[in-house]
């Protein structure tokens, strides 16, 4: 799900059109909640989705951060 984001040579995340810079969702893999439905682009550059902008992705981001921490622990 987060594969559309890439790390640059300096280790920072690169931002590309059509990929949310916060959660990594895309047009083909949009965020979804029962209350809000599918996300939409907030900006003209299509780099931040409505769910991240309005904070509707809090649970998704908690799960992502936990997954990232587990991956980092396995590398050590």
């Amino acid at each position: 799900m987060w594969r559309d984001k890439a790390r640059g040579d300096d280790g920072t995340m690169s931002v590309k059109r059509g990929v949310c810079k916060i959660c990594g969702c895309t047009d083909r893999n949009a965020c979804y909640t029962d209350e809000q439905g599918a996300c939409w682009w907030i900006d003209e550059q299509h780099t931040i989705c409505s769910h991240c902008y309005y904070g509707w992705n809090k649970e998704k981001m908690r799960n992502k951060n936990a997954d990232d921490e587990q991956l980092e622990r396995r590398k050590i």
Side-chain angles (χ1 to χ4, degrees):
M1 183 179 327
W2 318 104
R3 65 188 171 279
D4 292 318
K5 289 183 144 184
R7 291 211 180 267
D9 292 335
D10 61 358
T12 60
M13 298 303 283
S14 63
V15 177
K16 64 185 207 180
R17 181 178 177 82
V19 179
C20 180
K21 61 186 171 185
I22 297 174
C23 73
C25 71
T26 65
D27 287 328
R28 293 181 183 211
N29 189 18
C31 301
Y32 180 86
T33 65
D34 290 335
E35 299 83 26
Q36 305 302 329
C39 66
W40 61 90
W41 299 114
I42 292 294
D43 61 341
E44 291 181 14
Q45 295 78 26
H46 294 194
T47 60
I48 185 166
C49 77
S50 56
H51 285 48
C52 288
Y53 182 83
Y54 292 113
W56 299 330
N57 268 344
K58 289 179 183 175
E59 184 64 30
K60 178 181 175 180
M61 294 310 293
R62 269 196 295 274
N63 292 340
K64 178 202 180 299
N65 290 335
D67 291 345
D68 289 349
E69 288 174 15
Q70 287 178 357
L71 289 174
E72 284 301 315
R73 284 190 207 124
R74 290 181 189 161
K75 290 180 183 178
I76 297 175

XYZ file of all heavy atoms in Angstrom:
624
model
N 0.816 -1.187 0.000
C 0.000 0.000 0.000
C 0.863 1.256 0.000
O 0.512 2.248 -0.586
C -0.898 -0.037 1.230
C -1.843 1.123 1.300
S -2.959 1.136 2.721
C -3.269 -0.561 3.053
N 2.017 1.216 0.667
C 2.868 2.395 0.797
C 3.964 2.399 -0.261
O 4.842 3.228 -0.261
C 3.502 2.440 2.197
C 2.526 2.079 3.235
C 2.460 0.896 3.903
C 1.436 2.855 3.707
N 1.398 0.901 4.764
C 0.751 2.095 4.657
C 0.973 4.133 3.418
C -0.362 2.560 5.314
C -0.142 4.588 4.087
C -0.789 3.800 5.018
N 3.905 1.493 -1.206
C 4.986 1.300 -2.159
C 5.170 2.440 -3.154
O 6.192 2.516 -3.792
C 4.768 -0.007 -2.904
C 3.527 0.005 -3.779
C 3.233 -1.370 -4.352
N 1.957 -1.399 -5.002
C 0.797 -1.530 -4.397
N 0.750 -1.662 -3.120
N -0.328 -1.530 -5.073
N 4.195 3.322 -3.310
C 4.313 4.390 -4.286
C 5.188 5.539 -3.810
O 5.525 6.405 -4.580
C 2.929 4.934 -4.656
C 2.131 3.898 -5.415
O 2.722 3.234 -6.285
O 0.950 3.737 -5.132
N 5.576 5.524 -2.556
C 6.491 6.537 -2.054
C 7.905 5.992 -2.187
O 8.146 4.813 -2.015
C 6.198 6.848 -0.593
C 4.927 7.609 -0.391
C 4.774 7.927 1.055
C 4.156 9.280 1.210
N 4.070 9.666 2.599
N 8.838 6.857 -2.476
C 10.217 6.421 -2.646
C 11.147 7.323 -1.848
O 10.908 8.508 -1.719
C 10.594 6.451 -4.122
N 12.219 6.742 -1.357
C 13.217 7.524 -0.640
C 14.220 8.073 -1.652
O 14.692 7.373 -2.523
C 13.941 6.667 0.385
C 13.044 6.280 1.526
C 13.833 6.136 2.811
N 12.958 5.769 3.892
C 12.375 6.632 4.701
N 12.588 7.901 4.561
N 11.583 6.230 5.657
N 14.534 9.348 -1.484
C 15.544 9.971 -2.316
C 16.933 9.623 -1.809
O 17.105 8.955 -0.790
N 17.968 10.083 -2.512
C 19.343 9.809 -2.118
C 19.670 10.353 -0.731
O 20.510 9.810 -0.022
C 20.316 10.414 -3.135
C 20.233 9.708 -4.479
O 19.835 8.523 -4.502
O 20.579 10.334 -5.486
N 18.998 11.432 -0.330
C 19.249 12.028 0.984
C 18.416 11.385 2.088
O 18.456 11.807 3.237
C 19.008 13.534 0.948
C 17.569 13.896 0.585
O 16.766 12.974 0.316
O 17.255 15.095 0.574
N 17.642 10.343 1.780
C 16.851 9.634 2.773
C 15.463 10.199 2.997
O 14.677 9.634 3.731
N 15.141 11.330 2.380
C 13.816 11.916 2.548
C 12.846 11.274 1.569
O 13.244 10.726 0.546
C 13.845 13.442 2.317
O 14.302 13.698 0.994
C 14.747 14.123 3.325
N 11.566 11.369 1.907
C 10.544 10.820 1.027
C 10.306 11.776 -0.124
O 10.158 12.977 0.086
C 9.234 10.615 1.785
C 9.325 9.629 2.925
S 9.884 8.009 2.437
C 8.409 7.366 1.711
N 10.308 11.255 -1.321
C 9.985 12.083 -2.478
C 8.468 12.129 -2.628
O 7.774 11.210 -2.219
C 10.641 11.533 -3.743
O 10.145 10.257 -4.035
N 7.991 13.214 -3.175
C 6.553 13.389 -3.350
C 6.276 13.375 -4.844
O 6.947 14.059 -5.608
C 6.088 14.729 -2.729
C 4.613 14.941 -2.965
C 6.409 14.762 -1.250
N 5.302 12.581 -5.246
C 4.945 12.598 -6.655
C 3.441 12.731 -6.817
O 2.674 12.354 -5.935
C 5.490 11.376 -7.382
C 4.967 10.047 -6.963
C 5.709 8.955 -7.718
C 4.868 7.725 -7.861
N 5.540 6.654 -8.567
N 3.065 13.308 -7.924
C 1.668 13.561 -8.223
C 0.879 12.251 -8.189
O 1.297 11.234 -8.719
C 1.547 14.209 -9.604
C 0.124 14.539 -9.986
C 0.067 15.227 -11.352
N -1.284 15.480 -11.753
C -2.020 16.516 -11.357
N -1.496 17.415 -10.552
N -3.264 16.667 -11.760
N -0.291 12.322 -7.527
C -1.161 11.153 -7.481
C -0.851 10.196 -6.351
O -1.426 9.120 -6.276
N 0.069 10.588 -5.448
C 0.405 9.769 -4.286
C 0.371 10.671 -3.058
O 1.086 11.669 -3.000
C 1.805 9.137 -4.419
C 2.134 8.300 -3.189
C 1.906 8.301 -5.686
N -0.459 10.346 -2.097
C -0.561 11.171 -0.890
C 0.774 11.162 -0.155
O 1.333 10.101 0.119
C -1.670 10.660 0.017
S -1.840 11.631 1.540
N 1.282 12.349 0.150
C 2.584 12.460 0.813
C 2.536 12.034 2.272
O 3.574 11.852 2.893
C 3.121 13.878 0.699
C 2.260 14.941 1.346
C 2.792 16.323 1.052
C 1.824 17.402 1.502
N 2.314 18.727 1.094
N 1.344 11.824 2.825
C 1.241 11.407 4.219
C 1.011 9.903 4.334
O 1.740 9.210 5.030
C 0.133 12.197 4.942
C 0.518 13.679 4.954
C -0.092 11.656 6.353
C -0.536 14.602 5.494
N 0.006 9.388 3.654
C -0.328 7.968 3.827
C 0.060 7.095 2.631
O 0.088 5.886 2.756
C -1.813 7.810 4.126
S -2.887 8.099 2.702
N 0.309 7.703 1.474
C 0.725 6.917 0.306
C -0.409 6.378 -0.543
O -0.174 5.600 -1.460
N -1.645 6.784 -0.264
C -2.758 6.289 -1.083
C -2.667 6.857 -2.498
O -1.958 7.839 -2.746
C -4.100 6.636 -0.449
S -4.532 8.385 -0.521
N -3.368 6.227 -3.413
C -3.381 6.642 -4.812
C -4.815 6.584 -5.336
O -5.719 6.146 -4.624
C -2.511 5.698 -5.675
O -3.097 4.391 -5.662
C -1.077 5.624 -5.172
N -5.002 6.969 -6.583
C -6.329 6.863 -7.189
C -6.813 5.412 -7.209
O -7.994 5.137 -7.046
C -6.311 7.402 -8.615
C -6.207 8.913 -8.651
O -6.725 9.572 -7.727
O -5.607 9.447 -9.596
N -5.897 4.491 -7.405
C -6.264 3.075 -7.484
C -6.305 2.381 -6.132
O -6.767 1.253 -6.019
C -5.278 2.335 -8.395
C -5.398 2.765 -9.817
C -4.448 2.015 -10.693
N -4.543 2.506 -12.050
C -4.338 1.770 -13.102
N -4.015 0.512 -12.963
N -4.450 2.293 -14.300
N -5.768 3.050 -5.115
C -5.746 2.478 -3.766
C -6.098 3.578 -2.770
O -5.286 3.973 -1.948
C -4.356 1.893 -3.479
C -4.335 1.092 -2.205
O -5.380 0.687 -1.707
N -3.160 0.876 -1.671
N -7.323 4.086 -2.873
C -7.773 5.215 -2.063
C -8.074 4.796 -0.638
O -8.390 3.645 -0.358
C -9.034 5.823 -2.679
N -7.966 5.752 0.282
C -8.395 5.538 1.671
C -9.917 5.411 1.666
O -10.596 5.989 0.825
C -8.019 6.737 2.531
S -6.268 7.094 2.570
N -10.423 4.682 2.631
C -11.870 4.526 2.719
C -12.267 4.365 4.178
O -11.640 3.627 4.932
C -12.351 3.300 1.932
C -13.843 3.126 2.002
C -14.670 3.784 1.105
C -14.423 2.336 2.987
C -16.047 3.661 1.186
C -15.795 2.206 3.076
C -16.599 2.873 2.176
O -17.966 2.752 2.267
N -13.315 5.065 4.580
C -13.957 4.832 5.870
C -15.457 4.747 5.623
O -15.970 5.343 4.664
C -13.675 5.962 6.890
O -14.258 7.175 6.421
C -12.190 6.150 7.127
N -16.144 4.033 6.480
C -17.598 3.921 6.339
C -18.267 5.286 6.470
O -19.236 5.574 5.781
C -18.177 2.963 7.378
C -17.808 1.514 7.105
O -17.527 1.177 5.929
O -17.795 0.721 8.063
N -17.725 6.123 7.348
C -18.328 7.437 7.583
C -18.076 8.420 6.442
O -18.961 9.196 6.086
C -17.784 8.055 8.881
C -18.074 7.253 10.120
C -17.069 6.121 10.344
O -15.908 6.222 9.872
O -17.444 5.122 10.967
N -16.881 8.420 5.877
C -16.493 9.427 4.880
C -16.452 8.903 3.447
O -16.371 9.691 2.517
C -15.106 9.994 5.230
C -15.008 10.558 6.629
C -15.996 11.657 6.909
O -16.377 12.402 6.026
N -16.426 11.759 8.151
N -16.452 7.602 3.278
C -16.323 7.039 1.936
C -14.875 7.102 1.473
O -13.956 7.128 2.282
N -14.679 7.138 0.171
C -13.332 7.180 -0.396
C -12.766 8.597 -0.313
O -13.502 9.578 -0.337
C -13.359 6.720 -1.849
N -11.453 8.674 -0.225
C -10.807 9.993 -0.158
C -10.784 10.663 -1.531
O -11.068 10.037 -2.549
C -9.391 9.863 0.391
S -8.244 8.953 -0.668
N -10.452 11.946 -1.526
C -10.293 12.732 -2.750
C -9.106 13.649 -2.546
O -8.623 13.835 -1.437
C -11.577 13.510 -3.065
C -11.965 14.497 -2.004
C -11.601 15.807 -1.919
C -12.780 14.256 -0.861
N -12.130 16.397 -0.811
C -12.861 15.457 -0.131
C -13.450 13.147 -0.364
C -13.579 15.583 1.051
C -14.160 13.271 0.820
C -14.228 14.468 1.493
N -8.613 14.210 -3.626
C -7.450 15.098 -3.552
C -7.853 16.475 -3.052
O -8.822 17.055 -3.520
C -6.764 15.210 -4.914
C -6.260 13.898 -5.400
C -6.696 13.210 -6.494
C -5.250 13.101 -4.796
N -6.020 12.014 -6.588
C -5.118 11.926 -5.554
C -4.443 13.243 -3.675
C -4.217 10.926 -5.244
C -3.539 12.232 -3.360
C -3.430 11.090 -4.147
N -7.076 17.000 -2.125
C -7.306 18.322 -1.562
C -6.616 19.397 -2.394
O -7.148 20.479 -2.593
C -6.796 18.380 -0.099
C -7.669 17.502 0.793
C -6.724 19.806 0.426
C -9.101 17.964 0.943
N -5.422 19.092 -2.881
C -4.640 20.090 -3.616
C -4.604 19.788 -5.114
O -4.858 18.660 -5.539
C -3.221 20.175 -3.061
C -2.454 18.863 -3.181
O -3.081 17.802 -3.352
O -1.217 18.903 -3.107
N -4.286 20.792 -5.889
C -4.245 20.633 -7.348
C -3.124 19.700 -7.803
O -3.201 19.109 -8.873
C -4.080 21.996 -8.014
C -5.303 22.874 -7.888
C -5.136 24.225 -8.576
O -4.191 24.396 -9.374
O -5.957 25.119 -8.305
N -2.088 19.568 -7.002
C -0.956 18.707 -7.357
C -1.212 17.230 -7.036
O -0.407 16.376 -7.367
C 0.317 19.162 -6.613
C 0.799 20.524 -7.017
C -0.013 21.667 -6.386
O -0.610 21.504 -5.321
N -0.052 22.796 -7.053
N -2.345 16.964 -6.378
C -2.714 15.594 -5.981
C -1.625 14.968 -5.117
O -1.152 13.870 -5.387
C -2.998 14.719 -7.205
C -4.197 15.151 -7.956
N -4.791 14.355 -8.898
C -4.931 16.290 -7.946
C -5.828 14.987 -9.426
N -5.923 16.168 -8.844
N -1.257 15.673 -4.029
C -0.234 15.156 -3.131
C -0.713 14.984 -1.699
O 0.043 14.519 -0.853
C 1.009 16.067 -3.125
O 0.629 17.367 -2.688
C 1.646 16.147 -4.516
N -1.962 15.353 -1.403
C -2.515 15.094 -0.075
C -4.005 14.758 -0.209
O -4.762 15.467 -0.864
C -2.290 16.257 0.907
C -2.777 15.869 2.308
C -2.924 17.543 0.431
C -2.307 16.783 3.407
N -4.388 13.652 0.417
C -5.775 13.206 0.305
C -6.633 13.837 1.398
O -6.127 14.313 2.418
C -5.856 11.690 0.354
S -5.684 10.949 1.989
N -7.922 13.810 1.186
C -8.871 14.416 2.129
C -8.818 13.752 3.498
O -8.937 14.425 4.523
C -10.288 14.315 1.566
O -10.611 12.957 1.288
N -8.618 12.452 3.543
C -8.613 11.757 4.823
C -7.426 12.190 5.681
O -7.555 12.347 6.898
C -8.607 10.247 4.612
C -9.934 9.707 4.169
N -10.682 10.251 3.157
C -10.643 8.664 4.618
C -11.797 9.560 2.995
N -11.790 8.588 3.879
N -6.275 12.400 5.072
C -5.107 12.883 5.823
C -5.284 14.347 6.192
O -5.006 14.751 7.320
C -3.829 12.688 5.015
S -3.339 10.959 4.909
N -5.762 15.145 5.267
C -5.943 16.578 5.500
C -6.892 16.840 6.666
O -6.617 17.668 7.526
C -6.451 17.236 4.227
C -6.626 18.731 4.337
C -5.545 19.581 4.159
C -7.872 19.289 4.598
C -5.694 20.968 4.259
C -8.036 20.662 4.699
C -6.942 21.486 4.527
O -7.097 22.844 4.633
N -7.986 16.119 6.696
C -8.986 16.325 7.742
C -8.763 15.456 8.985
O -9.508 15.544 9.945
C -10.397 16.081 7.205
C -10.818 17.122 6.207
C -11.019 16.792 4.879
C -11.000 18.448 6.586
C -11.399 17.755 3.950
C -11.371 19.417 5.673
C -11.564 19.063 4.366
O -11.933 20.021 3.444
N -7.748 14.594 8.964
C -7.448 13.760 10.123
C -8.294 12.509 10.244
O -8.382 11.923 11.321
N -8.916 12.091 9.175
C -9.764 10.897 9.206
C -8.953 9.609 9.115
O -9.508 8.520 9.233
C -10.781 10.937 8.069
C -11.720 12.104 8.128
C -12.151 12.752 9.247
C -12.332 12.769 7.033
N -13.002 13.777 8.905
C -13.129 13.812 7.552
C -12.292 12.587 5.651
C -13.866 14.664 6.745
C -13.022 13.431 4.835
C -13.816 14.460 5.381
N -7.637 9.710 8.926
C -6.769 8.538 8.772
C -6.013 8.195 10.047
O -5.048 7.465 9.999
C -5.728 8.796 7.676
C -6.193 8.334 6.337
O -7.140 7.575 6.234
N -5.545 8.782 5.300
N -6.411 8.709 11.171
C -5.635 8.518 12.390
C -5.393 7.047 12.701
O -4.282 6.651 13.022
C -6.298 9.222 13.557
C -6.194 10.719 13.445
C -6.873 11.414 14.588
C -6.796 12.923 14.360
N -7.537 13.665 15.354
N -6.417 6.216 12.597
C -6.254 4.789 12.884
C -5.333 4.133 11.849
O -4.470 3.348 12.197
C -7.609 4.088 12.917
C -7.529 2.634 13.313
C -7.031 2.433 14.737
O -7.277 3.305 15.581
O -6.381 1.403 14.987
N -5.518 4.483 10.594
C -4.678 3.927 9.532
C -3.217 4.289 9.763
O -2.327 3.461 9.629
C -5.145 4.455 8.169
C -4.307 3.988 7.004
C -4.849 4.582 5.707
C -3.988 4.238 4.528
N -4.506 4.802 3.286
N -2.960 5.543 10.153
C -1.589 5.986 10.353
C -0.991 5.345 11.606
O 0.188 5.019 11.623
C -1.527 7.509 10.440
C -1.918 8.195 9.130
S -1.070 7.560 7.660
C 0.590 8.075 8.000
N -1.785 5.129 12.652
C -1.281 4.424 13.838
C -0.843 3.019 13.443
O 0.204 2.547 13.859
C -2.356 4.352 14.916
C -2.317 5.502 15.889
C -3.132 5.198 17.137
N -4.544 5.042 16.876
C -5.417 6.041 16.826
N -5.020 7.274 16.998
N -6.685 5.814 16.595
N -1.648 2.337 12.646
C -1.302 0.989 12.204
C -0.060 1.001 11.332
O 0.802 0.141 11.456
C -2.467 0.356 11.446
C -3.640 0.062 12.343
O -3.499 -0.033 13.554
N -4.818 -0.061 11.754
N 0.055 1.986 10.436
C 1.226 2.090 9.568
C 2.478 2.321 10.392
O 3.501 1.682 10.176
C 1.064 3.209 8.549
C 2.280 3.367 7.656
C 2.358 4.735 7.039
C 3.563 4.904 6.161
N 4.832 4.756 6.834
N 2.408 3.227 11.365
C 3.569 3.517 12.197
C 3.989 2.297 13.007
O 5.176 2.035 13.172
C 3.293 4.713 13.107
C 3.208 5.998 12.326
O 3.764 6.123 11.242
N 2.502 6.975 12.868
N 3.028 1.533 13.494
C 3.345 0.308 14.224
C 4.020 -0.697 13.302
O 5.000 -1.346 13.680
C 2.079 -0.289 14.835
N 3.528 -0.827 12.078
C 4.142 -1.730 11.099
C 5.560 -1.289 10.777
O 6.473 -2.110 10.689
C 3.320 -1.781 9.810
C 1.986 -2.478 9.980
O 1.797 -3.174 11.003
O 1.126 -2.318 9.096
N 5.782 0.016 10.588
C 7.108 0.544 10.297
C 8.078 0.257 11.440
O 9.229 -0.117 11.214
C 7.063 2.051 10.030
C 6.414 2.394 8.699
O 6.189 1.470 7.882
O 6.126 3.590 8.479
N 7.622 0.413 12.682
C 8.460 0.141 13.841
C 8.854 -1.323 13.896
O 9.999 -1.659 14.201
C 7.744 0.543 15.119
C 7.637 2.047 15.311
C 6.802 2.424 16.525
O 6.542 1.546 17.386
O 6.421 3.602 16.609
N 7.917 -2.221 13.584
C 8.223 -3.644 13.585
C 9.265 -3.971 12.520
O 10.181 -4.757 12.763
C 6.960 -4.464 13.361
C 6.038 -4.483 14.550
C 4.763 -5.257 14.274
O 4.540 -5.743 13.169
N 3.913 -5.371 15.284
N 9.149 -3.365 11.348
C 10.126 -3.592 10.290
C 11.505 -3.095 10.698
O 12.511 -3.760 10.447
C 9.684 -2.906 8.994
C 8.506 -3.527 8.276
C 8.088 -2.651 7.095
C 8.852 -4.919 7.785
N 11.574 -1.940 11.341
C 12.856 -1.389 11.787
C 13.499 -2.314 12.820
O 14.701 -2.533 12.803
C 12.671 0.012 12.369
C 12.475 1.087 11.316
C 13.641 1.175 10.352
O 14.808 1.154 10.778
O 13.367 1.262 9.133
N 12.700 -2.861 13.729
C 13.231 -3.777 14.752
C 13.817 -5.030 14.110
O 14.817 -5.556 14.583
C 12.145 -4.165 15.743
C 11.847 -3.075 16.732
C 10.951 -3.596 17.845
N 10.205 -2.479 18.355
C 8.894 -2.395 18.429
N 8.146 -3.392 18.052
N 8.316 -1.323 18.894
N 13.213 -5.502 13.057
C 13.704 -6.715 12.388
C 15.041 -6.468 11.694
O 15.830 -7.396 11.536
C 12.683 -7.199 11.355
C 11.445 -7.760 11.990
C 10.476 -8.245 10.955
N 9.215 -8.583 11.576
C 8.083 -8.692 10.926
N 8.040 -8.487 9.628
N 6.977 -9.000 11.556
N 15.316 -5.229 11.309
C 16.565 -4.905 10.625
C 17.745 -4.901 11.588
O 18.874 -5.074 11.186
C 16.462 -3.526 9.957
C 15.531 -3.504 8.772
C 15.488 -2.128 8.185
C 14.493 -2.035 7.034
N 14.412 -0.672 6.502
N 17.452 -4.678 12.875
C 18.547 -4.562 13.864
C 19.129 -5.897 14.193
O 18.658 -6.913 14.178
C 18.040 -3.854 15.149
C 17.612 -2.440 14.783
C 19.080 -3.864 16.232
C 16.971 -1.681 15.931
